[in-house]
Amino acid sequence: MIVKEFAAGDSLIQRLDPRVKIVVATLFSVVVAVSTQWVVLVLALALGFCIVQVAGVPMKELIRRLVPVNGLITFLWFFLPFTFEGESLFSIGPLVATREGVYYVARISIKSNAIMVVLITLIASTSIFTLGHAMYELGIPKKITHLFFFTYRYIHVMHHEYLRLVNAMKIRGFRPRTNMHTYKALAYLVGMLFVKSYERAERVYNAMLCRGFRGRLYSLSQFSMKTIDIIFLILMLAVILGLVVLEWTRIA
Amino acid sequence: MDKNSLIINLMDVTFAYPGGAPVLDELNLQLHQGERMGLMGPNGSGKTTLLHIIMGLLKPSSGNIEIFGKTVRQEKDFRSVRQRIGLLFQDADDQLFTPTVLEDVAFGPLNLGKSQDEARTVARKTLASLGLTGFEHRMTYKLSGGEKKLVALATVLAMEPEVLLLDEPTAGLDETTEKRIIDILKGLDLAYILISHNIDLLMEATHRIGYMIRGKVSVDEERIPHTHIHIHEHGRYAHKHGLKWPDKKY
Amino acid sequence: MDKNSLIINLMDVTFAYPGGAPVLDELNLQLHQGERMGLMGPNGSGKTTLLHIIMGLLKPSSGNIEIFGKTVRQEKDFRSVRQRIGLLFQDADDQLFTPTVLEDVAFGPLNLGKSQDEARTVARKTLASLGLTGFEHRMTYKLSGGEKKLVALATVLAMEPEVLLLDEPTAGLDETTEKRIIDILKGLDLAYILISHNIDLLMEATHRIGYMIRGKVSVDEERIPHTHIHIHEHGRYAHKHGLKWPDKKY
Amino acid sequence: MHISEGVLSPGVLIAGAGLTAAGVAVGLRRLENEEIPSVGILSAAFFVASLVHVPVGPSSVHLILNGLLGLILGWKAFPAILVGLALQALLFQFGGITTLGVNTLNMALPAVVCHYLFSWGVGIGARRLVFILSAFAGGCCAVFLSSMLVGFSLYLTGEAFLPVAKVVVAAHLPVMVIEGGLTAVCALFLRQVKPELLEGAYVPKLSSQPQNGSG
Ligand SMILES: Nc1ncnc2c1ncn2[C@@H]1O[C@H](COP(=O)(O)OP(=O)(O)OP(=O)(O)O)[C@@H](O)[C@H]1O
Ligand SMILES: Nc1ncnc2c1ncn2[C@@H]1O[C@H](COP(=O)(O)OP(=O)(O)OP(=O)(O)O)[C@@H](O)[C@H]1O
Ligand SMILES: [Mg+2]
Ligand SMILES: [Mg+2]
């Protein structure tokens, strides 16, 4: 299933106000993304793993979701050590790996994983729809949040239609190969996907009009800041501020 | 049947999709208070189109539509119509678009200006009345075909409409669910138009049947009582014949 | 009915969608050469899933599938199965994806390695046999519901299958089109499994009926002749009762 | 063509976010409320298309379709792609929060450029050959520009990224051709089946008051 949400369970993180979670995850990502100090990065990664632990995200799920991120990182490991100027560390044939290069990619790897672990915690503990409403509450323009809702909703529809079309092709003996017949069939598949989804969207929109829709989406989930949210927010802000101070003082 | 009890009155309504032949051709149709009308006709004869015209989702090229005694023409005229008439779409998938059942059912009441609490209460009550208690937090897109139809019906009923337009509410459903939906409909104190290809079902759930063809609806008021005697095997499944025309009082 | 005539043989097949309860639970099913089997059961009982398992679109978690006497397991085993068994989807819309009817019908034969000319000839011939001459250049997605079902059937038949799996081929169709499709099916010299919620239709078009429930198919071989007498009005529409079990010869 | 979190330098991230914000603002100004559902479908299509794998010899590539999106949507491609990428980040962890700006820019800017260059050729009235060539060029060009921008973002982060950047662009050369071809056939399909979707710079509007039909 394409869009398998795994917002389940009932951990502390699960119950936090989604707005708090978004703010914390965003600040954390930004700070880590611009940091360069080893201490900061390692602390951030450790912090990320603590949070993901508290949220009770299953290890298997976590690893599965970290795979795509580390794809590009692995790719970089094949290049950057050899293209950085600096003190040579080892060599493979004519290629010389430098200490600076290796450190650089290592930092990137830590950064990436630290940020991703926190992002995974966020989505593991909040449904996408709730995230959308929370974004609206946080001042993201209404048009964007609406677009977000509709896109999310249609992804399901289109993916279902996509799977059904793929099955329809399969049962008629279709096997993708490198030839014109394949390319044409795939183009038709995409075209049909557009057409059918367009028509479906038209019908869904009509259904919404029939139920009194006037351009405003309401949510049943009420957001309210509780004491626990405020404590968590202050705590996390303090930690992130700590990271900033650490990064900044070391540079200075 | 006096003029005051008229709820829906279509007069000489004509409609064509862009570039197509007229689907509705000077069509006339009346629905009265408390009346239950069946509608049948070949595929593509324009039944769905007709309901969409009534809801103002499509605009006729000519003709006149009066609903609750007022002529409706503009989008804004139809806004209030849509609060009083509920449309059940032919494909329930079109009707359900939020992730959970409760949110979907509460969507209409929220749009009508109800508070979150009120909306939630109405939604729960409607679900309960359709025997869907416990479905509140199910994902809408994971429901079975029959469950989807029932939830779609709940989303419409939660708006407390005065009239229902039902576009093949039981197509593709098994007999038990079909019967359940029909029983629910018969238990409601509402006027409705019910589209179906199943004559037995229409006989059971409606007072009169319109037949749609060549852009018009002809209502068959004449009744031809007749008898069938038949024998068949697998009798254990075959209990949907033998329906009688329900008491006609409206 | 000897063992050699077995076309489809499912033995103790179990299947569950990810994270769900088993939909097929140690299910057994046999289809023999020339046999026409009906399949009914409540919504969500797993009928569609069953057909998808037979075509290898879903993989069972346990159990054994033999088709044409060979055990099939892998994707590549199913490739040849798909050339010999045709599946008509529950929703014809899912089956048609090229712009014109002719291209769509020719798609299967092209995949089977036919040349453009051959594919086109087969496609035309198939369309003609279903009374769809003149449809070659119509847009698939602008066809009416009934026409779509017929074209979808043509796309399947163009692959010259030995067995058909038909998933509610007449749901949502008017009576005339339903009758046309049933007549076409009865005229074909093929074994098939036919899913429907309409017992009368199954009685007319199949030799025996399986009932699917709780993950299993039970075939009701026992026959209970019985009589209905009923009277109703609007007799002019009501001519679909009174079907007899067809001659059972296979 | 997503760039992961943690790779790019702060300067590139900020520039990307700023330019994307500007692009999205222009797109939103042109986006009317009734158009939101239909633009939503197109961003969903953009999302789902990334699941379609096209075989190329022994390996396969996935579709990007930002060219097609640009031809249809123009500036509105910015918000559409932003939302598509945000959802990809949330659901698949492709890209992330801080790179959202750069990634959107890399995909959406080429879409807008192609719109200005080629959308005149994919109008309903266009001659068949012109139509095919424009659609092909649109699909092709968008992927090429995107790969260049991705390479450029990496290069701006550090000169050491130059070889990586070159590999990214080179790897997308076959994708360009395939994407162009698919965009052309797909556009032809739409022209034949649902021309409303392609009317020049037309955005399908799920209007609530179609004058003469379904809108
Ligand atoms: N969006 C559309 N654009 C163009 N033509 C359309 C559209 N929708 C329906 N039609 C055509 O209008 C006619 C009437 O369609 P409609 O859906 O109202 O029929 P119906 O009586 O509901 O059929 P069914 O019993 O199959 O549901 C058909 O010929 C159909 O092809
Ligand atoms: N893709 C899917 N993912 C998860 N569950 C599914 C999926 N498809 C079907 N199901 C579930 O599996 C069960 C069997 O579905 P299936 O479609 O086979 O039923 P069916 O007998 O064909 O019903 P119908 O008469 O409504 O067509 C249902 O409970 C359904 O909700
Ligand atoms: Mg209809
Ligand atoms: Mg089914």
Side-chain angles (χ1 to χ4, degrees), chain A residues 45-59:
Chain A
L45 187 61
L47 180 67
F49 274 101
C50 286
I51 294 180
V52 91
Q53 220 49 52
V54 176
V57 177
M59 210 54 196

Side-chain angles (χ1 to χ4, degrees), chain A residues 199 202, chain B residues 15-24 40-52 58 90 167-168 195-197 212, chain C residues 138 141-147 172-174, chain D residues 194 196 213-215:
Chain A
E199 303 215 313
E202 202 167 46
Chain B
F15 172 83
Y17 286 99
V23 176
L24 311 186
M40 59 190 304
N43 290 115
S45 58
K47 304 179 294 299
T48 299
T49 307
L50 174 61
L51 298 195
H52 286 215
L58 299 168
Q90 186 159 359
D167 199 347
E168 306 198 21
I195 297 182
S196 173
H197 290 295
M212 179 140 193
Chain C
R138 294 275 296 274
Y141 105 108
K142 281 193 185 155
L143 299 171
S144 82
E147 290 165 352
L173 298 189
D174 60 59
Chain D
K194 191 113 188 141
E196 303 95 292
S214 61

Side-chain angles (χ1 to χ4, degrees), chain A residues 129 133 146 149-150 204-220, chain B residues 94-116 118-120 122-124 154-156 158-159:
Chain A
F129 253 70
H133 281 298
H146 278 183
F149 281 123
F150 280 106
V204 170
Y205 188 66
N206 276 338
M208 292 176 74
L209 283 182
C210 284
R211 285 161 67 197
F213 179 66
R214 293 189 189 165
R216 209 197 127 151
L217 289 170
Y218 300 85
S219 165
L220 271 188
Chain B
D94 296 337
Q95 204 141 8
L96 306 175
F97 47 88
T98 66
T100 69
V101 169
L102 188 67
E103 280 178 286
D104 220 311
V105 180
F107 177 83
L110 283 173
N111 285 330
L112 296 185
K114 290 220 159 69
S115 76
Q116 294 202 342
E118 285 167 342
R120 205 177 309 216
V122 172
R124 279 184 205 280
T155 67
V156 173
M159 296 186 67

Side-chain angles (χ1 to χ4, degrees), chain A residues 26-46:
Chain A
T26 309
L27 282 179
F28 179 85
S29 304
V30 170
V31 168
V32 174
V34 303
S35 293
T36 51
Q37 302 292 325
W38 284 106
V39 206
V40 177
L41 296 180
V42 172
L43 279 178
L45 187 61

Side-chain angles (χ1 to χ4, degrees), chain A residues 85-250:
Chain A
E85 305 267 307
E87 180 190 338
S88 106
L89 199 62
F90 63 92
S91 59
I92 305 170
L95 296 172
V96 180
T98 63
R99 183 182 300 277
E100 282 73 10
V102 171
Y103 283 179
Y104 191 84
V105 198
R107 276 202 296 266
I108 288 183
S109 313
I110 297 176
K111 275 191 197 183
S112 264
N113 283 290
I115 296 178
M116 274 307 152
V117 166
V118 169
L119 184 66
I120 290 170
T121 313
L122 172 70
I123 43 179
S125 65
T126 331
S127 81
I128 301 282
F129 253 70
T130 314
L131 280 181
H133 281 298
M135 286 193 294
Y136 177 63
E137 299 279 317
L138 285 171
I140 303 273
K142 195 177 94 178
K143 279 180 182 171
I144 298 246
T145 40
H146 278 183
L147 191 57
F148 181 89
F149 281 123
F150 280 106
T151 305
Y152 180 59
R153 150 81 201 179
Y154 293 134
I155 284 174
H156 285 287
V157 174
M158 289 197 78
H159 187 244
H160 270 131
E161 309 227 330
Y162 167 72
L163 289 180
R164 288 198 291 238
L165 285 169
V166 166
N167 275 344
M169 290 166 85
K170 259 197 202 170
I171 60 159
R172 281 156 74 195
F174 177 74
R175 277 167 67 189
R177 297 195 185 88
T178 308
N179 60 19
M180 276 319 281
H181 175 63
T182 299
Y183 293 159
K184 198 168 154 192
L186 289 176
Y188 283 167
L189 170 80
V190 172
M192 201 49 158
L193 209 54
F194 269 88
V195 169
K196 289 173 66 167
S197 309
Y198 175 79
E199 303 215 313
R200 160 107 29 200
E202 202 167 46
R203 295 198 300 265
V204 170
Y205 188 66
N206 276 338
M208 292 176 74
L209 283 182
C210 284
R211 285 161 67 197
F213 179 66
R214 293 189 189 165
R216 209 197 127 151
L217 289 170
Y218 300 85
S219 165
L220 271 188
S221 39
Q222 281 150 316
F223 303 134
S224 60
M225 292 279 273
K226 293 180 293 290
T227 328
I228 181 85
D229 295 309
I230 295 169
I231 296 175
F232 180 82
L233 182 63
I234 293 176
L235 192 73
M236 289 310 294
L237 287 181
V239 172
I240 293 172
L241 193 68
L243 292 178
V244 172
V245 170
L246 211 54
E247 166 79 18
W248 184 68
T249 49
R250 283 298 190 89

Side-chain angles (χ1 to χ4, degrees), chain D residues 132-201:
Chain D
I132 293 176
L133 288 178
S134 314
F136 181 87
C140 210
C141 174
V143 172
F144 176 70
L145 291 178
S146 285
S147 66
M148 290 294 282
L149 282 175
V150 170
F152 197 57
S153 317
L154 291 171
Y155 176 70
L156 284 181
T157 292
E159 294 213 3
F161 279 95
L162 190 57
V164 181
K166 284 181 181 162
V167 170
V168 167
V169 176
H172 280 91
L173 290 179
V175 182
M176 262 171 65
V177 179
I178 287 176
E179 184 92 11
L182 261 110
T183 304
V185 182
C186 188
L188 268 181
F189 178 95
L190 292 178
R191 169 155 116 156
Q192 202 174 354
V193 168
K194 191 113 188 141
E196 303 95 292
L197 265 163
L198 274 180
E199 279 166 14

Side-chain angles (χ1 to χ4, degrees), chain B residues 1-7 31-33 68-69:
Chain B
M1 239 181 282
D2 63 317
K3 185 114 205 307
N4 289 337
S5 74
L6 254 181
I7 302 180
L31 186 77
H32 292 84
Q33 216 114 46
F68 299 115

Side-chain angles (χ1 to χ4, degrees), chain C residues 20 31 61 66 68 83 92 146 153 164 175 177 179-180 184 194 197 212 247:
Chain C
L31 186 77
S61 56
E66 277 179 18
F68 299 116
Q83 302 181 3
L153 187 58
L164 283 180
E175 262 183 68
T177 319
K179 185 141 181 18
R180 176 130 166 254
I184 288 170
L194 170 59
H197 290 295
M212 180 140 191
D247 293 343

